[in-house]
Structure formats: C-alpha cells, structure tokens
Amino acid sequence: MRSINLDTLIAAFAGIETITDPHQVAKLSQDYHTFSPVLVPKLEGKVGDIVVRPANEQEVLKVAAICAKYRVPITVRGAGTGNYGQCVPLYGGVIVDMTKMQEILWVKPGVARLEAGVKLAALDKKARDLGWEMRMTPSTYRTATIGGFIAGGSGGIGSIQYGLLGDRGNLLALKVVTLEDEPRVIELRGDDVQKVNHAWGINGIITEVEIPLGPAYPWVEVIVTFDDFMTAAKFGQALGNTDGMIKKLITIFASQIPQYFHALHQYLPGGTHPAFLMVAESSLESLPGLVQQYGGQITYQKPAFEAGKGANLGEFTWNHTTLHARTVDTSITYLQSMFPADPQLQLVEHLYNYFGDEVMMHLEFFRVNGKVIAGALQLVRYTTEKRLNEIIAYHEQQGVLIANPHTYIIEDGGRKVIDPEQLKFKEMVDPYGLMNPGKSKVLQFKIKN
Amino acid sequence: MRSINLDTLIAAFAGIETITDPHQVAKLSQDYHTFSPVLVPKLEGKVGDIVVRPANEQEVLKVAAICAKYRVPITVRGAGTGNYGQCVPLYGGVIVDMTKMQEILWVKPGVARLEAGVKLAALDKKARDLGWEMRMTPSTYRTATIGGFIAGGSGGIGSIQYGLLGDRGNLLALKVVTLEDEPRVIELRGDDVQKVNHAWGINGIITEVEIPLGPAYPWVEVIVTFDDFMTAAKFGQALGNTDGMIKKLITIFASQIPQYFHALHQYLPGGTHPAFLMVAESSLESLPGLVQQYGGQITYQKPAFEAGKGANLGEFTWNHTTLHARTVDTSITYLQSMFPADPQLQLVEHLYNYFGDEVMMHLEFFRVNGKVIAGALQLVRYTTEKRLNEIIAYHEQQGVLIANPHTYIIEDGGRKVIDPEQLKFKEMVDPYGLMNPGKSKVLQFKIKN
Ligand SMILES: Cc1cc2nc3c(=O)[nH]c(=O)nc-3n(C[C@H](O)[C@H](O)[C@H](O)COP(=O)(O)OP(=O)(O)OC[C@H]3O[C@@H](n4cnc5c(N)ncnc54)[C@H](O)[C@@H]3O)c2cc1C
Ligand SMILES: Cc1cc2nc3c(=O)[nH]c(=O)nc-3n(C[C@H](O)[C@H](O)[C@H](O)COP(=O)(O)OP(=O)(O)OC[C@H]3O[C@@H](n4cnc5c(N)ncnc54)[C@H](O)[C@@H]3O)c2cc1C
C-alpha cells in the first residue's frame, strides 16, 4: 500500500462513493474490540487509508479489480459492531463499507435473500409481514448487517431454538466477489457456504446472502427472579429442555449484574438472580408451573403486542450485558464460553463459586448439536492481562471451551483452526492475500506479487 | 350394570343417538389391541351393552348423569384406534362415542380449540389455511380424534421437534365432564391439564381441548437408503441433532422391514436400510451434504406441493409400520421402546445384533427432555407369550425403557405408576369408579354405592 499513491486510488475509484476525511476514515477503521483492554493497545492507531462505499455488485467488482491490480489490502465492514478487531485494518489500505447495499431482494415463506449490507432489524420488519423472522440475531440486530453477522457473528437470540449460525441449515446461499485480477461473482449453496461462513472477511466480499427464516411467534418478554444462583441456572436449563415450550431467549444473571441495568431496576430486587426470557405467547401459560417448581418469582412480563415499546429485554443479553456493565464501569471486560452438556451444571457451579466477584456469571442457554447447553459471557473485573489469561486458562483446564475475545487472531479465538476447505477457497478467491491481512496465523501477511 | 335393565337406559337416553344393534355395539367395543396376540384372547368377548353418541356438551352432561344415577360403567371412545384395549369395556355398560362432537371452535395463530371428537386431519386442514398445523400427530391422524390422542396417545410425527404430548407446553387446556351425581363441567389450564393428559378415559369425559400449533412448514418427504443399518441409525441421530435443519420425521428401518411396504418398493432396493424423512423445504438443500457424509443414497423425494398426492411416508412410520407388516404376516407383533440418550447408539447396535431376525429394528427419533433420543417400535416375530416376555425382559435389563403394548393395565404399560394428582382428581370426578373400570391396578373394579 505504502508504495502506491492515494490519489491513484481515488482516481481509480471515480464514480464510487469514497471517504478520505481522516477522522471519518479512522472511525470506520474501528469496531467494538474496545470491550477488550488487551486488544485496545494492540490495535491502537491502526487505520485504513480510504473508505469506499459500493452501492451494488458492479461497484464491488470494480473495487475488487482495483485493489487486486494495485495489491492493496482491503478490510470489508458492515456496521463494525464486531468485538475482535475484525474490522480494524492492520496494514492500512482500503476499507470497503458495505452498508449502502441494503436491498432485501425477496422474502418467501421460510426463506429470504438480501444484499450483504441489509440491517438485521430491517429484514425482520419486512419478514414479519409474512409471518416470519430471522431465526437468530445478535443483540446488535438494530445496527448489525447480515454480511457482518455471517462473516463475524456466531449466534444469539434464537439460538436456543436453532443452534448457532455455523450449524448446517442456518445459511442457504452466499454470493461473493473474488479478489482475482479479473474478479468474479461466485454463488455458493449447500455445504459450500461453509467456505465463507464465519470467515472474518478473508474469503471474498459477500454481496448477497440467502437465509432460512423462523416463524414469527408473538414473543412475550419475562423476568423471573430467584434467591439462589444455581436454582436460577437450573431453571434455565430445565426451560431449555422443555421441548413443548417455544422460547427465543434464556439468559441467567448472577445477582451482581442487574445493578448495571438501570432501566429495569424496579423488576430486579436487590440480591436476586434474574432470568431474562422470551417465550412464545402460546407457551406463556405453561411458564408459571415451571417457575413455581424452582421457587422463582415472575416480576415482569411484556405482552407480545407491546414488543416495540419500552425496554427490550434482548438488548440486555448476549454481549449487550457487557455493554451495559461497561457503561457504568469501564474496568469490566468479559469472556465467551461454552460449558459441557450437563443437566446438573456442576462446572457452572464450581466456577461461580471459585471466582466469586471477580468473574460475574452471565449464562446464555443455546442448542449445540441437538442439546441445550450453557454458554456464558461472564463479566470480568479486569486487573492485568496476566490475570485475565490465568482466568481463561483455569476455565480451559476445567473443561470449559473459551472463544477468547481478547485476540484478533482467528485461530486464537473460537475456531482454533481454520477449516482446510476455507483455506483452499481462500487461495482461489484471494490469490494476492489482500483480504483482512494479519488476522490469521497460517496466513502470515505477505502480499504476493 | 347387570342389575339394571337395558330398556331403562334406552328410555333415559331418549333424545340422544344410541346404538343397540349387537354387531355395531361389538364393533364399537373394539380397538387396535389386535396388534397384540397377548391381548386378543384376554379381551375376547368383552363388549358394551349400548353405545351413545352425544352431539354436544349438554348431551354429554345428560349421559354422565344417567350413568352416575344407575352406576353404569362407561367407556369413552374416539376413533378407537388405540392399541392397548383402552376402548374395550371390561365390564360391559355404556360406550360413549365422541365422534359426533366435531366442531373446531377456533383457530388463532399458534393455538386452536376444538371439540373432543374432531379428527386430527380435519384440524390440520383448517389450521393450514392460517399457516399452522398440529405440532405432532400419530400416524393415525386421518381417523384419530383429538380427545383420543390426548387421553390415549403419546406423540408421533412432529415429536422430533416438540417432544411428547405429555411434555409441558404441548397441551394448553381441557374441559371435562364429571361422573358425579350432578355432573359438572370443569376447565383445566396450565399444569392442571396433566390431571387428565394420557389418563386413558378414567378421569372425566373430555369435551373440549385447547392445543398449541406449530408453523405449517412446506414438508418434503424423502427416502434415503444405506448399506449398513448402524450407519443409517447414526445418520438419523445426526440429522436429529442438526438444530439448523427443521424436520418432522426421522424413521430408520432395518432391511427386513421394507418388504412390507408394497407401494414403495421401487425406492427401496433390496438389502438396504432406509430412512424415511420429512424435512422443511427450506432445509432440503442442506440434506445432501449430510447424506453424503454417511454414504447414503436419496432414492425418493416428494415435494411439498404434492403433499396430498400418492403415498404418504408418514403412514408407513410409527405404528403404521406394524400395520403394514401385519397386513402381510399376521404373526408379527411389536414393542415400544425408548433407548437411553447416546450419540453412539451402542444399545441399539447391541440389540440389533442380539435378536437378529426375530426383532426387526424400527427406530423413531424424537426429543425427550431436550435431547434427541432413539425410540423404537421393533417388529417381533411372535412365537409364545413367554418368549415375548423374555424379549421384553432382556431389553429392560439392558436399560431400554419398554412401554409394553401387550397389557391393558395402565401401570404395566408406559407409565408404571399413575400420577398421584391424577388419582386425586379421579376420586373427585368419578366418585363411583365408573370410568373404564378394570384398567388400573390401584383402581380395582368395584362400583361404589
Ligand atoms: C454490544 C454487542 C453485542 C453483541 N452481541 C452479539 C451476539 O449476540 N451474537 C453475535 O454473534 N455477535 C454479537 N456481537 C458481535 C457483532 O455485533 C455481530 O456479530 C454482528 O452481527 C456483526 O455485524 P456487523 O455488520 O457489525 O459486522 P462487522 O463488525 O462490520 O464485521 C464483522 C466481520 O465480518 C466481515 N464482514 C462484514 N461484512 C462483510 C461482507 N459483506 N463480506 C465479507 N466479510 C464481511 C468483517 O470484515 C469482519 O471480519 C455483539 C457486539 C456488540 C458490540
Ligand atoms: C396403525 C396405528 C398407528 C398408531 N400410531 C400412533 C402414533 O404414532 N402415536 C401415538 O401416540 N399413537 C399411535 N397409535 C395409537 C392411536 O391411534 C392414537 O393414540 C390415537 O390418537 C388415538 O385416538 P382415537 O380417537 O382413536 O382414540 P381411542 O382409541 O378412541 O381412545 C384412546 C383412549 O382415549 C380415551 N378417550 C377417547 N376420547 C376421549 C374423551 N373425549 N374423553 C376422555 N377419554 C377419551 C379412550 O377411553 C381410550 O382410553 C396408533 C395406532 C394404530 C392402530
């Protein structure tokens, strides 16, 4: 990059919207890695040289051709809400902002096809008119794009029903633009979608996505409080296991966490451990029986017809919990974990007790390979990187799977290894190694000539 | 009963349809216990004295009052497709045939309320206009009634998604008429529905039912064949565990069974072990990848828009498998089993090998307490009752749960004990012990005065 002139690029991009104002470029070189005190210093000062905002596939093809020709690194971004610095360009270059490509191409019963820059909330709004909705959304669904979710997300609200985004069946097709000398458009369907699923923007520029939808149940939001954390956790597991009840969200918080939820204080009596739930209206009548069995108290209930109004429970869960906590106390950071399947949740109990106030337990139940398991986005009172690594290591020793959010290296995060199929596809679509360079161990940064 | 005159009863029932023709009464004293060579001799010659066919709740109340007054045993029946002689009157008396009460009271998105005699297929037809359908149906859904399914059924096509009928959330409300001196109508909601759920017609006459519905996905029917039984079985488990794929049926047959399916011969190459599947259209594209992973062959695929035409795969599964086999070979009978959760299906493998051709393996995958497990309705080449009991005992020793279909005693079948709540409710609603007498161990037949 350093070897070519910015003006050459600007001229080449003529006709496509570009941003060169340094403040704006710097902003569009950021994401939410700021939740990690470890990542912040590592990614400080990393900015792109220019932002392009293609409006359609033709413009994407043109951008790709130019970057390939001049061997310029590119970093694709949607809304930039990712948490691992996936959108931060390590070697400058072109930021490709996809948010202008907002067309919902079609919605049919059970399936939708859309451009990569469509906001998740926009799709949901449109799909609901037909009685459908996204199977799962991150808690950032108001701003996040579908391309960013596919390339950088993992699951969220709805995963208790449909599992994680990477599971077979949750993504039907993708269209990507390659970074070859003569960029092509490739449509991937069936198992082939896995070549790009969760690829952190290193395997082509996603322009279109086809995803299955779930039925848009009228969802009721409920808060249930418990006197004891493990009882709350076991209630969450039991509700998850109740196949006859339809639910979209089962979140359990240790009692230290509700202090960060100002808008909901009146429903969260001090010292209690709350469950935040979304259940289908047709399952609501079955809830009190289960709540009673676990000695819980229903303190809040928002009927489905008020879904758009007031506080939205979903926006206090998944990684929004961390957001709320950090708004009050910036020394807080987080972990991302998956506990082994265990109806007794013994490891959850051990770790809940072991770390006490230093690691505040926040469980998200979701399905993994047919079973309901406890995931967690624990809040951590951060002191030093060393201590954070000790905490992570202890979890791993005990058998907890940690998708480390304190690294920008793909293999050090949730995936551990990049799938060989993805690497093969990478060689084809990005022959010069221009896409999001430096984010992978196996793909050392070295722009090829 | 013997002590009161049939004419007195006929006179008392005036205004309500009755049947006294002995042939017809005998027919309406039957069910499908004929699948069991053990039950047939035990229930031979057991017939009611008269059949009444109430047309509405008022008439049910009147029937109940008359039976209570004269202390006459009553046996309620829907379509009489039950398999355990639940509809066979052990002590004569009145058969209450509910099939005239066919009104679908309302269908709302996700919920329906209907009279007890509504046929399951009729509800599905109506609900589909709104985009919904029954969550699960027995393979007898064309004829079976909702009252009979609730009182006598357990699950079926759809249980891979929603679990069993008895699971919390799968039944919302019930209305029952009591057998008291002055019969009452009682509405049960929430956990209270369990007082009558699967009660074999001993806990009041169900007149109305409110059930949750599931989204009516367009379902594609698929046959996949495998060269090896355990590979087929593991494929079934894997598909069951794939949370991103929506399915309604996963049935696996050992290679001896397809010979009984004449209509499907061309799709079932000799010696292969087939899977019969129903998957949502939006999950169909994800199937070949999984099939390939297990080395299967897709031999048949019926698109959703042809659902009404030709053979219906569902009607070869669950206990319809036994029906087809018995049409060819009446010496065949069956078991009903649940294997412990085990992704490796080791116990399935052991029993498949252990009994060889005597017990032909037929697996149905469904959800139990949040996990996908293998159920089975094995076909048994019957020789003697002693040998059948040995087979059952061996399964139980190995850890398989057998819901014995060769007994008409509730406690010897699937439930083992009648829930204390159900017994308490029984005392209230049937103070004279008139309902389906003789079917329970704890409720010895003794009409109280
Ligand atoms: C408060 C908060 C809560 C969150 N909750 C969740 C959650 O519940 N579940 C979850 O999974 N995530 C969660 N996240 C992470 C993130 O918000 C989501 O994954 C979101 O879907 C990312 O979408 P985006 O448009 O912001 O993607 P970006 O952050 O813009 O991009 C993410 C990755 O995708 C790549 N990318 C983006 N668009 C394309 C494209 N068109 N082609 C190729 N590559 C592309 C980028 O290069 C980057 O590597 C959360 C983050 C925050 C800050
Ligand atoms: C070929 C075949 C396949 C089958 N497959 C399945 C299957 O997949 N899953 C399954 O669960 N079952 C299955 N069964 C069993 C049976 O068909 C179902 O359970 C069916 O739902 C019973 O409905 P029915 O109307 O025929 O009930 P009936 O047989 O008439 O009655 C069943 C029981 O319910 C009671 N009852 C009926 N109506 C009322 C009422 N209104 N109030 C109170 N009590 C009442 C009766 O007294 C009896 O005890 C199968 C049977 C056959 C023969």
Side-chain angles (χ1 to χ4, degrees):
Chain A
M1 180 64 191
R2 305 296 154 208
S3 64
I4 88 135
N5 192 295
L6 193 57
D7 293 332
T8 314
L9 271 186
I10 294 173
F13 286 144
I16 304 176
E17 184 183 339
T18 53
I19 298 172
T20 50
D21 168 65
H23 289 292
Q24 281 214 60
V25 173
K27 227 181 111 189
L28 291 168
S29 302
Q30 285 292 307
D31 63 10
Y32 278 80
H33 70 272
T34 45
F35 283 13
S36 165
V38 176
L39 287 179
V40 168
K42 291 190 179 155
L43 295 175
E44 211 178 322
K46 305 284 183 197
V47 291
D49 295 285
I50 182 172
V51 177
V52 283
R53 307 189 67 222
N56 52 49
E57 190 177 284
Q58 278 315 307
E59 293 191 2
V60 174
L61 280 162
K62 191 171 162 193
V63 168
I66 293 163
C67 292
K69 179 173 173 191
Y70 294 109
R71 306 286 196 270
V72 191
I74 79 160
T75 307
V76 188
R77 68 180 278 128
T81 66
N83 291 107
Y84 322 110
Q86 304 116 293
C87 283
V88 179
L90 295 180
Y91 300 97
V94 175
I95 308 282
V96 183
D97 175 338
M98 297 297 290
T99 55
K100 269 174 97 170
M101 291 183 62
Q102 298 218 354
E103 200 183 333
I104 297 175
L105 300 161
W106 47 255
V107 182
K108 291 195 287 204
V111 193
R113 189 166 176 114
L114 42 156
E115 286 189 330
V118 170
K119 284 190 170 47
L120 307 183
L123 170 60
D124 254 4
K125 191 159 182 285
K126 177 108 177 216
R128 285 228 178 85
D129 294 341
L130 276 94
W132 297 87
E133 64 181 13
M134 285 191 71
R135 285 186 174 179
M136 68 194 76
T137 60
S139 56
T140 47
Y141 62 91
R142 285 192 207 234
T143 46
T145 66
I146 186 70
F149 187 41
I150 300 294
S154 57
I157 303 165
S159 288
I160 182 64
Q161 194 84 0
Y162 301 101
L164 297 174
L165 195 54
D167 291 343
R168 181 179 262 128
N170 282 329
L171 174 60
L172 297 179
L174 284 173
K175 219 178 182 185
V176 289
V177 163
T178 68
L179 270 283
E180 297 163 296
D181 290 323
E182 284 182 36
R184 286 177 294 159
V185 175
I186 299 178
E187 169 101 2
L188 300 170
R189 305 198 68 92
D191 275 9
D192 283 343
V193 298
Q194 302 305 346
K195 294 175 180 168
V196 179
N197 205 351
H198 204 76
W200 281 37
I202 67 166
N203 273 9
I205 304 172
I206 303 170
T207 53
E208 287 181 21
V209 169
E210 200 175 309
I211 51 165
L213 302 172
Y217 284 97
W219 299 109
V220 184
E221 299 177 11
V222 183
I223 297 177
V224 188
T225 60
F226 297 85
D227 290 336
D228 169 68
F229 176 73
M230 282 312 297
T231 309
K234 284 178 188 166
F235 163 81
Q237 179 74 56
L239 176 59
N241 286 350
T242 304
D243 301 308
M245 293 179 67
I246 311 294
K247 53 266 163 189
K248 194 169 174 176
L249 181 72
I250 305 177
T251 311
I252 308 292
F253 296 114
S255 61
Q256 306 102 319
I257 296 180
Q259 64 176 305
Y260 305 119
F261 302 159
H262 289 311
L264 301 170
H265 265 176
Q266 59 186 121
Y267 314 113
L268 300 167
T272 64
H273 309 261
F276 280 24
L277 313 174
M278 289 174 77
V279 297
E281 210 165 69
S282 57
S283 295
L284 189 64
E285 246 185 295
S286 310
L287 190 63
L290 191 68
V291 168
Q292 203 188 329
Q293 209 172 302
Y294 285 81
Q297 293 284 333
I298 297 179
T299 61
Y300 174 81
Q301 203 165 295
K302 185 165 90 169
F305 67 86
E306 286 182 3
K309 293 185 208 154
N312 181 334
L313 283 201
E315 285 174 327
F316 291 85
T317 67
W318 288 83
N319 217 10
H320 262 73
T321 308
T322 318
L323 179 75
H324 289 284
R326 285 179 49 83
T327 306
V328 177
D329 180 350
T330 51
S331 75
I332 288 172
T333 188
Y334 72 118
L335 300 180
Q336 293 188 140
S337 355
M338 262 169 60
F339 285 87
D342 166 19
Q344 291 314 308
L345 301 169
Q346 289 182 324
L347 203 44
V348 171
E349 183 161 14
H350 170 66
L351 289 161
Y352 171 75
N353 291 319
Y354 187 82
F355 285 107
D357 206 44
E358 187 179 12
V359 180
M360 298 174 264
M361 199 59 95
H362 159 199
L363 301 179
E364 295 289 346
F365 285 93
F366 52 89
R367 284 232 192 125
V368 172
N369 201 19
K371 288 190 190 123
V372 175
I373 66 118
L377 292 94
Q378 302 92 330
L379 297 181
V380 178
R381 296 190 195 279
Y382 184 75
T383 47
T384 63
E385 185 174 349
K386 183 162 166 283
R387 176 61 187 156
L388 182 63
N389 287 332
E390 274 169 22
I391 293 172
I392 291 174
Y394 187 80
H395 278 79
E396 290 180 332
Q397 280 155 26
Q398 296 290 315
V400 179
L401 199 139
I402 296 276
N404 189 0
H406 303 285
T407 174
Y408 59 75
I409 298 294
I410 302 182
E411 295 96 330
D412 292 340
R415 289 264 159 139
K416 311 301 171 200
V417 283
I418 304 184
D419 182 88
E421 285 294 312
Q422 285 204 345
L423 288 177
K424 231 163 66 191
F425 190 71
K426 163 99 182 154
E427 262 174 47
M428 178 177 85
V429 299
D430 185 19
Y432 303 115
L434 302 174
M435 298 199 72
N436 217 350
K439 300 288 171 65
S440 158
K441 269 185 193 160
V442 291
L443 303 165
Q444 292 299 333
F445 178 56
K446 183 179 152 311
I447 288 181
K448 298 170 193 153
N449 281 300
Chain B
M1 181 64 192
R2 303 297 156 207
S3 63
I4 87 136
N5 191 294
L6 192 59
D7 293 333
T8 314
L9 270 185
I10 295 173
F13 286 144
I16 304 175
E17 185 185 338
T18 52
I19 297 172
T20 51
D21 169 62
H23 289 293
Q24 280 214 61
V25 174
K27 226 181 110 191
L28 292 168
S29 302
Q30 286 291 306
D31 63 10
Y32 278 79
H33 70 273
T34 45
F35 282 14
S36 165
V38 177
L39 287 179
V40 169
K42 289 189 179 155
L43 295 175
E44 212 180 320
K46 306 284 183 195
V47 291
D49 294 286
I50 184 171
V51 176
V52 284
R53 307 190 68 222
N56 52 50
E57 191 178 282
Q58 277 316 307
E59 293 192 0
V60 174
L61 280 163
K62 191 171 159 191
V63 167
I66 292 164
C67 292
K69 179 172 172 194
Y70 294 109
R71 309 286 196 270
V72 190
I74 78 160
T75 306
V76 188
R77 70 180 278 126
T81 66
N83 291 108
Y84 322 109
Q86 303 117 295
C87 284
V88 178
L90 295 181
Y91 299 96
V94 174
I95 308 283
V96 183
D97 175 337
M98 298 297 290
T99 54
K100 270 174 96 172
M101 292 183 59
Q102 299 219 354
E103 200 183 335
I104 297 173
L105 300 162
W106 47 256
V107 182
K108 291 195 286 205
V111 193
R113 187 164 177 117
L114 42 155
E115 286 188 331
V118 171
K119 284 190 170 45
L120 307 183
L123 169 61
D124 254 5
K125 192 157 181 287
K126 177 109 177 215
R128 284 228 178 84
D129 294 341
L130 277 94
W132 297 86
E133 65 180 15
M134 285 192 70
R135 285 186 174 179
M136 67 194 78
T137 61
S139 56
T140 46
Y141 63 91
R142 286 196 207 232
T143 47
T145 65
I146 186 70
F149 188 41
I150 301 294
S154 57
I157 304 164
S159 288
I160 182 65
Q161 195 84 358
Y162 301 102
L164 297 174
L165 195 55
D167 291 344
R168 182 180 259 129
N170 282 329
L171 174 59
L172 297 178
L174 284 174
K175 218 176 179 185
V176 289
V177 164
T178 69
L179 269 282
E180 296 164 298
D181 290 324
E182 283 183 37
R184 286 177 294 161
V185 175
I186 299 178
E187 169 102 1
L188 300 170
R189 304 197 69 92
D191 276 8
D192 284 342
V193 297
Q194 302 305 345
K195 294 175 180 168
V196 179
N197 206 350
H198 206 75
W200 280 38
I202 67 166
N203 272 9
I205 304 170
I206 303 169
T207 53
E208 287 181 21
V209 168
E210 200 175 309
I211 50 166
L213 302 172
Y217 283 97
W219 299 109
V220 185
E221 299 177 11
V222 183
I223 297 177
V224 188
T225 60
F226 297 85
D227 290 336
D228 168 67
F229 176 73
M230 282 312 297
T231 310
K234 284 178 187 167
F235 164 82
Q237 180 76 56
L239 176 60
N241 287 348
T242 304
D243 301 311
M245 292 179 68
I246 310 294
K247 53 266 163 187
K248 193 169 174 177
L249 180 71
I250 304 177
T251 310
I252 308 292
F253 296 114
S255 61
Q256 307 102 318
I257 296 180
Q259 63 176 306
Y260 305 119
F261 301 158
H262 289 312
L264 301 169
H265 266 177
Q266 61 187 120
Y267 314 112
L268 299 167
T272 63
H273 308 261
F276 281 25
L277 313 174
M278 289 173 76
V279 297
E281 210 165 69
S282 57
S283 295
L284 189 65
E285 248 185 294
S286 309
L287 190 62
L290 191 67
V291 167
Q292 203 188 330
Q293 209 172 301
Y294 285 82
Q297 292 285 332
I298 296 179
T299 61
Y300 175 80
Q301 205 166 293
K302 185 165 89 171
F305 67 86
E306 287 183 2
K309 292 185 209 153
N312 181 332
L313 284 200
E315 286 175 326
F316 292 84
T317 67
W318 288 83
N319 216 10
H320 262 72
T321 308
T322 318
L323 178 75
H324 288 285
R326 285 179 49 82
T327 306
V328 177
D329 180 350
T330 51
S331 75
I332 288 173
T333 188
Y334 72 118
L335 301 180
Q336 292 187 142
S337 354
M338 263 170 60
F339 286 86
D342 165 20
Q344 292 313 309
L345 301 170
Q346 289 182 322
L347 203 43
V348 171
E349 183 161 15
H350 171 64
L351 289 161
Y352 171 75
N353 292 319
Y354 187 82
F355 285 107
D357 206 43
E358 187 180 13
V359 179
M360 298 173 264
M361 199 59 95
H362 159 200
L363 302 179
E364 295 289 345
F365 284 93
F366 51 89
R367 292 191 78 89
V368 172
N369 201 21
K371 287 190 191 122
V372 175
I373 65 117
L377 292 96
Q378 302 92 329
L379 295 181
V380 178
R381 295 190 195 279
Y382 184 75
T383 47
T384 63
E385 185 173 349
K386 183 161 167 286
R387 177 60 187 156
L388 183 64
N389 287 333
E390 273 169 24
I391 294 172
I392 291 174
Y394 186 81
H395 278 78
E396 290 180 333
Q397 280 155 25
Q398 296 290 314
V400 180
L401 199 138
I402 297 276
N404 189 0
H406 302 286
T407 175
Y408 59 75
I409 299 294
I410 302 182
E411 295 96 331
D412 291 339
R415 288 263 158 139
K416 310 303 173 199
V417 284
I418 303 183
D419 183 87
E421 285 293 312
Q422 285 205 344
L423 288 178
K424 231 162 67 190
F425 190 70
K426 163 99 182 156
E427 262 175 47
M428 178 178 86
V429 298
D430 184 20
Y432 303 115
L434 302 175
M435 298 198 72
N436 217 351
K439 299 290 171 61
S440 157
K441 269 186 194 162
V442 291
L443 304 165
Q444 292 300 333
F445 176 56
K446 186 179 152 308
I447 288 180
K448 298 169 191 155
N449 279 301

